[in-house]
Amino acid sequence: MQFLSDNAARVHPKVWAAMQAADSPDRPYDGDALSQRLDAAFSELFGRDVAALWASSGTAANSLALTTVVEPHGGVICHREAHIEMDECGAPGFYTHGAKLLLAEGDGARLTPAAIETVLAGITRGVHQVAAHAISLTQASEYGLCYRPEELQAIGALAKARGLGLHVDGARFANAVAFLGCSPADAAGPADALSFGCTKNGGMDADAIVLFDREAAELVRWRRKRGGHLQSKGRVLAAQILALLEGGLWLENARAANDAAAEIAGSAKDRLLHPVEANELFVKLAAAERTALRAQGFQFYDWDETTVRMVAAWDTPPDHATALVRALAAL
Amino acid sequence: MQFLSDNAARVHPKVWAAMQAADSPDRPYDGDALSQRLDAAFSELFGRDVAALWASSGTAANSLALTTVVEPHGGVICHREAHIEMDECGAPGFYTHGAKLLLAEGDGARLTPAAIETVLAGITRGVHQVAAHAISLTQASEYGLCYRPEELQAIGALAKARGLGLHVDGARFANAVAFLGCSPADAAGPADALSFGCTKNGGMDADAIVLFDREAAELVRWRRKRGGHLQSKGRVLAAQILALLEGGLWLENARAANDAAAEIAGSAKDRLLHPVEANELFVKLAAAERTALRAQGFQFYDWDETTVRMVAAWDTPPDHATALVRALAAL
Amino acid sequence: MQFLSDNAARVHPKVWAAMQAADSPDRPYDGDALSQRLDAAFSELFGRDVAALWASSGTAANSLALTTVVEPHGGVICHREAHIEMDECGAPGFYTHGAKLLLAEGDGARLTPAAIETVLAGITRGVHQVAAHAISLTQASEYGLCYRPEELQAIGALAKARGLGLHVDGARFANAVAFLGCSPADAAGPADALSFGCTKNGGMDADAIVLFDREAAELVRWRRKRGGHLQSKGRVLAAQILALLEGGLWLENARAANDAAAEIAGSAKDRLLHPVEANELFVKLAAAERTALRAQGFQFYDWDETTVRMVAAWDTPPDHATALVRALAAL
Amino acid sequence: MQFLSDNAARVHPKVWAAMQAADSPDRPYDGDALSQRLDAAFSELFGRDVAALWASSGTAANSLALTTVVEPHGGVICHREAHIEMDECGAPGFYTHGAKLLLAEGDGARLTPAAIETVLAGITRGVHQVAAHAISLTQASEYGLCYRPEELQAIGALAKARGLGLHVDGARFANAVAFLGCSPADAAGPADALSFGCTKNGGMDADAIVLFDREAAELVRWRRKRGGHLQSKGRVLAAQILALLEGGLWLENARAANDAAAEIAGSAKDRLLHPVEANELFVKLAAAERTALRAQGFQFYDWDETTVRMVAAWDTPPDHATALVRALAAL
């Protein structure tokens, strides 16, 4: 019973079907009919004209998106536990040619205007110190917490006032929208660039880079190829994304994952490090308790000495969730 | 009738089947059972201990492989029409942090020891000039020509004598082996690193990086993640590669493509820019002739003002090949 | 009366004389007789065979030195207030092609084994997280505090045990040696690479990169040229360094600066943020007090809201120091 | 008798005097009064508002200037024998984060609109191929040949029509102006950025980056610091440049060098590879002839098997030039 990560979940049958339907010769790279539909599909989703490109990993999507908001000599303010800081092996620095991540504090890996201001206040040395060019936040955060639309507006207002770009790491954007119950546009706030995760949500190997400044897409097109991410059969990546968007499958999958997480959370209320808003649970478990759960067949990730991470996915079997509920209650 | 490129051909049914068979939760990234089998599979193929990693594009495979043979301040000798020079948007320079491509001449985009020596002879200025650290050649070449085993040995001997690494771009390595009729080991020669193409040969989005120096794999593992190429569901990439290796499907597919190309070549002998050894044809066609062929439904790529490129793939329908034979003969 | 920074102090007359003596045509770059003497001069100073190269700024010296201990995908543990983190505009990341600075805590901007271990303990995610390749410390620290030889040995032992390189930023290395009263070798500890500051200590625009692993010099030679730091009249840079080494002028200058700082510290004991060991003072001063001192002609740097930084240099006029002593006492 | 290179010539006495006059404490980096005068001094020289910054080497000046005209994924068209291609160890690629040099042909290392068009005509593959963002030419060229004002206008018109930036490597810009007898503005043509050489022309270690788009200076300021080129005692670099500009010393020095070269050329007319316009001579000499000259005490550089390079400097002693004239005549 796998609660290690949604990134290892299965591919949704409709995604498989769409990929196979796309498997006939077409123009290579992103010249095919499906890739060409991404702009329109995301423009509809966000209710405004955007550009959208596929990328084959969330790290690639984030890194390429960041190139549109920071120059090599600048910095990006992010939470000290942000995925781009902790889990991408320096990929953001690689793609931005050395831009620095400027680390902010904040509960549950969420940024606040105050935390951002603290970072900015420490930048006083002119050309001797890396200056902030942008802010990056994760929706939902690395602890599964969601920014409310008004919080995003407040951060966006600060970004605008300070001349900073705004990037949103949306590896679990769908789970955030599902929790917030708002429009995708409200859940993205005044972002300049968003990585829209699909792989964790029923896709195989396709995430989308959504650029609210359409002109920035030109830069990303060059940098994507230069990063080795312009796959020749791009149509199968586009097919995955479109299959998830169609009929709201992306939201349906996210809701299933969130619901499973919520169910499990119900039996571990006293053990939760953070409220469960999306599909991740951070549960305080002693070593013996971990051993006991693992002996019952549950797989999860040791977050640190006191806490484990459990992640529900779109395809978490109901009986697995229920079994975990019982096992946690029985500890 | 599509002769634009093998990179837009269909995915082989056995590859589809293998991908779907791999679609059950397993360890993410390359921790799954299939990814872990790659070293053994390629070691068997090459008859010696090698390390092998998947990458989702040929450009990524080449660029990551190059990081093992050149430092940022060094250079890589390649043909002036090499794919890494002409078609990868500077990706090799990006991944190697600025290493320079040092351009050599040679018929049919093939390097010779003499051409390499000419480049080396021009490097005389010590620390003021970029020094060569490696040689990169393409098997089969960008004009579909194959290096014979003894030619590879001669280039390898030169590399060794000069302290240079040797990279082989094997985007169409299968087609070369099919033509040469030799072992994969002989077709790779004394390479240090080989990108082993699968995407053009029945795969979907997986190529392999084969490292004959197993220790170099450690570097590539870090750089692959840093390049955003460590996909979370790596098992589906490994599945593609293993499906092609199994039972020699990779060679079978390459032979089919080569055979179709040879058939077409037979009716265009006087028009060929180069002998057809692999699955690419470079055919001299006047503008009116191109128009005539296109009017009959044939798609191909204008190489330059005098020549077009036609590429056969593993799935080129026999009746398409036959139709093209007739159409060329009728010009 | 200038206490802003030693980096704006005058050039020592003997340095001027040496530069002018060097001003006759010789081989360009570092092929001249003086540049060729650096290895021997520093080998004598450190009592072992080392390689030494000039660089025209401390930032360049640090950054080039760091390239010898960290790969692009790795990280360097340093204090969060280290000069390489705070004051070099990302130059270390630029020269190392994106290596990350991993920030440690510590009083007075000094690292301890425990602080380093804390950073290392947080690196648990394998290829997903930037791994530490090296440690960098500053001797004397950014707050003018010196590492004792046994402290350096302890950090060096940790570095060795963990397979990490050790870089020492010695922008004020001379001041540290003057304070410690030990040999240069003991003040450098088991460093792999040291930037040996001269510009702040009577030089004009020359610092030295000292490489205790002589083979690393080859890498630095290429990277120095590639960074635009191989000046054609390198003999005047070598002349500066040799003039300072000769007859112990470097130590004499550092002692003069330290003595002036110590004299000033004597009248500000209750206001000092840290003990004064080298030539920097961090003095708690209220806004009105700052204004009063500035009205008397003293120039210094506002460190933060409670503290100012005052720096004595080799050429601080005794009457300026005495005047500052009196002015501080009179506050 | 040294004809190896002007880059190893002596520092002019007026430059020494200016440096020493600048040696009193002032604001560090480029905050001093002299550095602040550069914009005005070069604006006067070029008859329009420009920004100007010092750099301590020609390679740094070129590389930093190039960052203003090319993005990391772009290319710069230059001659295949351009200094930035042949003699800077990849520094342009380092500073531009991997931008590619796109090599053009041309007699005497001079570009022509036709040669540039040929390069552009080969760029046809969209995002797969590095696109040209800029042109870089050298005034005077690497063979000492000067672009006439109307030639620069023609290249500038092409650049403008194609949306390309224009960089001028002016390591020997003074020699070009001295030869052309035109204004500096006419000798720079419609450049966006110019590196204005001083080190070869009586300076010690200071060249200027002249930015005709003043806003580009902001970028260069960050990148200069990030490259370790923001020296703390910048006033001595500014002093060198201002001393050369004052009273036209830069032109006077260049004329002296050109005159010496012209005198020598007079006795080697039949041996010249190119007309001598600036201060460099490329003289066809057999091995025995080289040996004979060297036996007489002449130092020069072997360019290739048939040709040597001799360079006159501002301080070439008249009797050395005369001796060389006689020795060449006597061969």
Side-chain angles (χ1 to χ4, degrees):
Chain A
M1 291 172 286
Q2 212 271 84
F3 295 91
L4 275 168
S5 180
D6 41 1
N7 76 2
R10 283 176 302 135
V11 177
H12 194 280
K14 288 185 181 172
V15 172
W16 276 120
M19 288 167 67
Q20 291 184 293
D23 186 26
S24 60
D26 194 344
R27 300 188 65 80
Y29 307 109
D30 63 354
D32 61 282
L34 296 176
S35 298
Q36 295 295 312
R37 275 175 49 197
L38 288 184
D39 282 6
F42 280 95
S43 294
E44 191 185 329
L45 191 69
F46 285 99
R48 53 189 277 214
D49 268 6
V50 304
L53 298 92
W54 41 255
S56 66
S57 76
T59 294
N62 278 335
S63 295
L64 289 166
L66 285 170
T67 63
T68 68
V69 291
V70 63
E71 290 186 88
H73 60 277
V76 177
I77 297 173
C78 69
H79 193 276
R80 70 171 57 256
E81 298 191 67
H83 198 267
I84 59 173
E85 163 70 10
M86 291 297 285
D87 298 281
E88 299 187 349
C89 193
F94 177 50
Y95 275 90
T96 62
H97 297 295
K100 210 174 172 70
L101 299 182
L102 306 167
L103 305 181
E105 307 292 336
D107 283 347
R110 295 195 334 151
L111 295 178
T112 60
I116 295 165
E117 291 282 14
T118 298
V119 173
L120 290 170
I123 302 174
T124 60
R125 304 184 186 189
V127 78
H128 298 272
Q129 194 176 6
V130 172
H133 290 193
I135 298 166
S136 174
L137 58 85
T138 308
Q139 174 75 309
S141 86
E142 285 72 13
Y143 286 104
L145 299 176
C146 300
Y147 289 86
R148 273 58 179 176
E150 61 273 19
E151 292 174 324
L152 294 171
Q153 289 301 329
I155 290 172
L158 170 56
K160 192 172 179 187
R162 296 298 202 118
L164 306 175
L166 181 59
H167 165 255
V168 174
D169 174 352
R172 294 188 181 93
F173 187 73
N175 302 285
V177 175
F179 170 75
L180 293 168
C182 67
S183 70
D186 285 345
D192 295 301
L194 165 75
S195 55
F196 183 99
C198 294
T199 303
K200 291 176 162 68
N201 194 31
M204 189 175 96
D205 58 3
D207 289 333
I209 304 165
V210 181
L211 298 158
F212 296 94
D213 169 8
R214 285 177 58 86
E215 290 188 14
E218 179 68 8
L219 179 69
V220 177
R221 275 190 197 98
W222 290 98
R223 298 294 173 92
R224 180 174 64 174
K225 173 61 193 173
R226 195 171 180 244
H229 284 288
L230 183 59
Q231 299 189 356
S232 54
K233 302 184 186 179
R235 57 192 182 263
V236 292
L237 282 82
Q240 296 174 50
I241 296 170
L242 293 170
L244 285 166
L245 291 187
E246 196 159 356
L249 179 59
W250 67 288
L251 256 186
E252 192 180 308
N253 282 354
R255 281 192 196 112
N258 286 8
D259 288 351
E263 182 189 351
I264 299 162
S267 71
K269 276 178 188 163
D270 299 339
R271 297 174 172 277
L272 295 177
L273 191 65
H274 296 289
V276 172
E277 298 184 351
N279 61 323
E280 294 182 290
L281 301 105
F282 292 82
V283 185
K284 292 174 201 163
L285 286 181
E289 295 170 327
R290 299 179 193 193
T291 305
L293 288 179
R294 284 181 173 133
Q296 297 171 58
F298 297 103
Q299 296 183 55
F300 46 84
Y301 180 66
D302 285 329
W303 190 252
D304 59 29
E305 291 184 12
T306 60
T307 310
V308 306
R309 190 187 75 166
M310 296 166 162
V311 190
W314 73 270
D315 64 343
T316 296
D319 58 323
H320 289 195
T322 304
L324 183 52
V325 164
R326 286 184 194 147
L328 282 167
L331 283 178
Chain B
M1 290 173 288
Q2 213 269 84
F3 294 91
L4 276 168
S5 179
D6 41 0
N7 76 1
R10 283 176 303 134
V11 177
H12 195 279
K14 289 185 181 173
V15 171
W16 276 119
M19 289 167 66
Q20 291 186 293
D23 186 27
S24 61
D26 194 344
R27 298 189 66 82
Y29 307 110
D30 62 354
D32 62 282
L34 297 176
S35 298
Q36 296 294 313
R37 276 176 48 198
L38 288 185
D39 282 7
F42 280 95
S43 293
E44 190 185 329
L45 192 68
F46 284 100
R48 54 189 278 213
D49 268 7
V50 304
L53 299 92
W54 41 255
S56 66
S57 77
T59 293
N62 278 334
S63 295
L64 288 166
L66 285 169
T67 63
T68 68
V69 291
V70 62
E71 290 187 89
H73 60 277
V76 177
I77 298 173
C78 68
H79 193 276
R80 69 173 55 258
E81 298 190 67
H83 198 267
I84 60 173
E85 162 70 10
M86 292 296 286
D87 298 281
E88 299 188 349
C89 194
F94 178 49
Y95 275 89
T96 61
H97 297 295
K100 211 173 171 71
L101 299 182
L102 306 167
L103 306 181
E105 307 292 336
D107 282 347
R110 296 195 335 151
L111 296 178
T112 60
I116 295 165
E117 292 281 15
T118 299
V119 173
L120 290 170
I123 302 174
T124 60
R125 304 184 186 189
V127 78
H128 298 272
Q129 194 176 6
V130 172
H133 289 194
I135 299 167
S136 173
L137 57 85
T138 307
Q139 174 75 309
S141 87
E142 285 71 14
Y143 285 104
L145 299 176
C146 301
Y147 290 86
R148 272 57 179 176
E150 61 273 19
E151 293 174 324
L152 294 170
Q153 289 300 330
I155 290 173
L158 170 57
K160 192 172 179 186
R162 296 299 201 118
L164 306 175
L166 180 59
H167 165 255
V168 174
D169 175 352
R172 294 187 181 92
F173 186 72
N175 303 285
V177 175
F179 169 75
L180 293 168
C182 66
S183 71
D186 285 346
D192 295 300
L194 164 75
S195 56
F196 182 99
C198 295
T199 303
K200 291 175 161 71
N201 194 31
M204 190 175 94
D205 58 2
D207 289 334
I209 305 166
V210 181
L211 299 159
F212 296 94
D213 169 7
R214 284 176 58 85
E215 290 187 14
E218 178 68 7
L219 180 69
V220 176
R221 277 192 196 96
W222 289 99
R223 298 295 172 91
R224 179 173 66 173
K225 172 60 193 174
R226 195 170 180 243
H229 284 286
L230 182 60
Q231 299 189 357
S232 54
K233 302 183 185 179
R235 57 192 182 264
V236 292
L237 282 82
Q240 296 174 51
I241 296 170
L242 293 170
L244 286 167
L245 292 187
E246 197 161 356
L249 179 60
W250 68 287
L251 255 186
E252 190 180 310
N253 282 352
R255 280 191 196 114
N258 286 7
D259 289 350
E263 182 188 351
I264 299 162
S267 72
K269 277 178 188 164
D270 300 339
R271 296 173 173 277
L272 295 177
L273 192 63
H274 296 289
V276 171
E277 297 184 350
N279 61 323
E280 294 182 290
L281 302 104
F282 292 82
V283 185
K284 291 174 202 163
L285 285 182
E289 294 170 325
R290 298 177 195 195
T291 304
L293 288 179
R294 284 180 173 133
Q296 296 170 61
F298 297 104
Q299 296 182 57
F300 47 84
Y301 181 66
D302 286 328
W303 190 252
D304 59 27
E305 291 183 13
T306 60
T307 310
V308 306
R309 188 186 76 166
M310 295 166 162
V311 190
W314 72 272
D315 65 342
T316 296
D319 57 323
H320 289 195
T322 306
L324 182 52
V325 164
R326 286 185 192 145
L328 282 166
L331 283 178
Chain C
M1 289 173 287
Q2 213 272 83
F3 294 91
L4 276 168
S5 179
D6 42 0
N7 77 1
R10 283 177 302 135
V11 177
H12 194 281
K14 288 185 181 173
V15 172
W16 276 120
M19 288 166 66
Q20 291 186 292
D23 186 27
S24 60
D26 195 344
R27 298 188 67 82
Y29 307 110
D30 63 354
D32 62 282
L34 297 176
S35 298
Q36 296 294 313
R37 276 177 47 198
L38 288 185
D39 282 7
F42 280 95
S43 293
E44 191 185 328
L45 192 70
F46 285 99
R48 54 190 276 212
D49 268 6
V50 304
L53 298 92
W54 41 254
S56 66
S57 76
T59 294
N62 278 334
S63 295
L64 289 166
L66 285 169
T67 63
T68 67
V69 290
V70 62
E71 290 187 89
H73 60 278
V76 177
I77 298 173
C78 68
H79 193 274
R80 70 172 56 258
E81 297 191 66
H83 198 267
I84 60 173
E85 162 71 9
M86 292 296 286
D87 298 280
E88 298 188 350
C89 194
F94 178 50
Y95 275 89
T96 61
H97 297 294
K100 210 174 173 71
L101 300 182
L102 306 168
L103 305 181
E105 308 292 337
D107 283 346
R110 295 194 335 150
L111 295 179
T112 59
I116 295 165
E117 291 281 15
T118 298
V119 173
L120 290 170
I123 302 174
T124 59
R125 304 184 186 189
V127 78
H128 299 273
Q129 193 176 5
V130 172
H133 289 194
I135 299 167
S136 174
L137 57 86
T138 308
Q139 173 77 309
S141 87
E142 285 71 13
Y143 286 104
L145 298 176
C146 300
Y147 290 85
R148 272 58 180 176
E150 61 274 19
E151 293 173 325
L152 295 170
Q153 289 300 329
I155 290 173
L158 170 57
K160 193 172 179 187
R162 295 298 201 118
L164 307 174
L166 180 59
H167 164 255
V168 174
D169 175 351
R172 294 188 180 91
F173 186 73
N175 303 285
V177 174
F179 169 76
L180 294 168
C182 67
S183 71
D186 285 345
D192 295 301
L194 164 75
S195 56
F196 182 98
C198 295
T199 303
K200 291 176 162 69
N201 194 30
M204 191 174 93
D205 59 1
D207 289 334
I209 305 165
V210 181
L211 298 159
F212 296 94
D213 169 7
R214 285 176 56 86
E215 290 187 14
E218 178 68 6
L219 179 70
V220 176
R221 276 191 197 98
W222 289 99
R223 298 295 173 92
R224 179 174 64 173
K225 172 60 194 174
R226 194 170 181 245
H229 284 288
L230 182 61
Q231 298 189 357
S232 54
K233 302 183 185 179
R235 55 191 183 264
V236 293
L237 281 83
Q240 297 175 50
I241 296 170
L242 293 170
L244 285 167
L245 291 187
E246 196 161 356
L249 180 60
W250 68 287
L251 256 185
E252 192 180 307
N253 282 353
R255 281 192 196 113
N258 286 9
D259 288 351
E263 183 188 351
I264 298 162
S267 71
K269 276 178 188 162
D270 300 340
R271 296 173 173 277
L272 295 177
L273 191 65
H274 296 289
V276 172
E277 297 185 350
N279 61 324
E280 293 183 290
L281 302 104
F282 291 83
V283 185
K284 291 173 201 163
L285 286 182
E289 294 171 326
R290 299 178 194 195
T291 305
L293 288 180
R294 284 179 173 133
Q296 297 170 58
F298 297 104
Q299 295 183 56
F300 47 84
Y301 180 67
D302 286 328
W303 190 251
D304 59 28
E305 291 183 12
T306 61
T307 309
V308 305
R309 189 186 76 166
M310 296 166 162
V311 190
W314 72 271
D315 65 342
T316 296
D319 58 323
H320 288 195
T322 306
L324 183 52
V325 165
R326 286 184 193 147
L328 282 166
L331 283 177
Chain D
M1 289 173 288
Q2 212 270 84
F3 294 91
L4 276 168
S5 179
D6 41 0
N7 77 1
R10 282 177 304 135
V11 177
H12 194 279
K14 288 185 181 173
V15 172
W16 276 119
M19 288 166 67
Q20 291 186 293
D23 186 26
S24 60
D26 195 344
R27 298 188 67 80
Y29 307 110
D30 64 353
D32 62 282
L34 297 176
S35 298
Q36 295 295 312
R37 276 175 48 199
L38 288 185
D39 282 7
F42 280 95
S43 293
E44 192 186 327
L45 191 70
F46 284 100
R48 54 190 274 214
D49 268 6
V50 304
L53 298 93
W54 41 255
S56 65
S57 76
T59 294
N62 277 335
S63 295
L64 288 166
L66 285 169
T67 63
T68 68
V69 292
V70 62
E71 291 187 87
H73 60 277
V76 177
I77 298 173
C78 69
H79 193 275
R80 69 173 56 258
E81 297 190 67
H83 198 267
I84 59 173
E85 163 70 10
M86 292 296 286
D87 298 281
E88 300 188 349
C89 193
F94 178 50
Y95 274 89
T96 61
H97 297 294
K100 211 175 172 69
L101 299 183
L102 306 167
L103 305 182
E105 308 291 336
D107 283 347
R110 295 195 335 149
L111 296 178
T112 60
I116 295 165
E117 291 281 15
T118 299
V119 173
L120 290 169
I123 302 174
T124 59
R125 303 184 187 190
V127 78
H128 298 273
Q129 193 176 7
V130 172
H133 289 193
I135 299 166
S136 174
L137 57 86
T138 307
Q139 173 77 307
S141 87
E142 284 70 14
Y143 286 104
L145 299 177
C146 301
Y147 289 86
R148 272 58 179 176
E150 61 273 20
E151 292 174 323
L152 295 170
Q153 289 300 330
I155 290 172
L158 169 57
K160 192 171 178 186
R162 294 299 201 118
L164 307 174
L166 181 58
H167 164 256
V168 174
D169 175 351
R172 295 188 180 92
F173 186 72
N175 302 286
V177 174
F179 170 75
L180 293 168
C182 68
S183 71
D186 285 346
D192 295 301
L194 164 75
S195 55
F196 182 98
C198 294
T199 303
K200 291 176 160 71
N201 194 31
M204 190 174 95
D205 59 2
D207 288 334
I209 305 165
V210 181
L211 299 159
F212 295 94
D213 169 6
R214 285 177 57 86
E215 290 187 16
E218 179 68 8
L219 179 70
V220 176
R221 277 192 195 96
W222 289 99
R223 298 293 172 92
R224 179 174 64 173
K225 173 61 193 172
R226 195 170 181 244
H229 284 288
L230 182 60
Q231 299 189 356
S232 54
K233 302 183 186 180
R235 56 191 183 264
V236 294
L237 281 81
Q240 296 175 49
I241 296 170
L242 292 170
L244 285 167
L245 291 187
E246 196 161 354
L249 179 59
W250 68 288
L251 256 185
E252 192 180 307
N253 282 354
R255 282 193 195 112
N258 286 8
D259 288 351
E263 184 188 349
I264 299 161
S267 73
K269 275 179 188 161
D270 299 339
R271 296 173 173 277
L272 295 177
L273 191 65
H274 296 290
V276 172
E277 297 186 351
N279 62 324
E280 293 183 290
L281 300 105
F282 292 82
V283 185
K284 291 174 200 162
L285 286 182
E289 295 171 326
R290 298 178 195 195
T291 304
L293 287 180
R294 285 182 173 131
Q296 297 171 60
F298 297 103
Q299 296 183 56
F300 46 84
Y301 181 66
D302 286 328
W303 190 252
D304 59 28
E305 291 183 13
T306 61
T307 309
V308 306
R309 190 187 75 165
M310 296 167 162
V311 189
W314 72 271
D315 66 343
T316 297
D319 58 323
H320 289 195
T322 305
L324 183 53
V325 165
R326 286 185 194 146
L328 283 166
L331 284 178

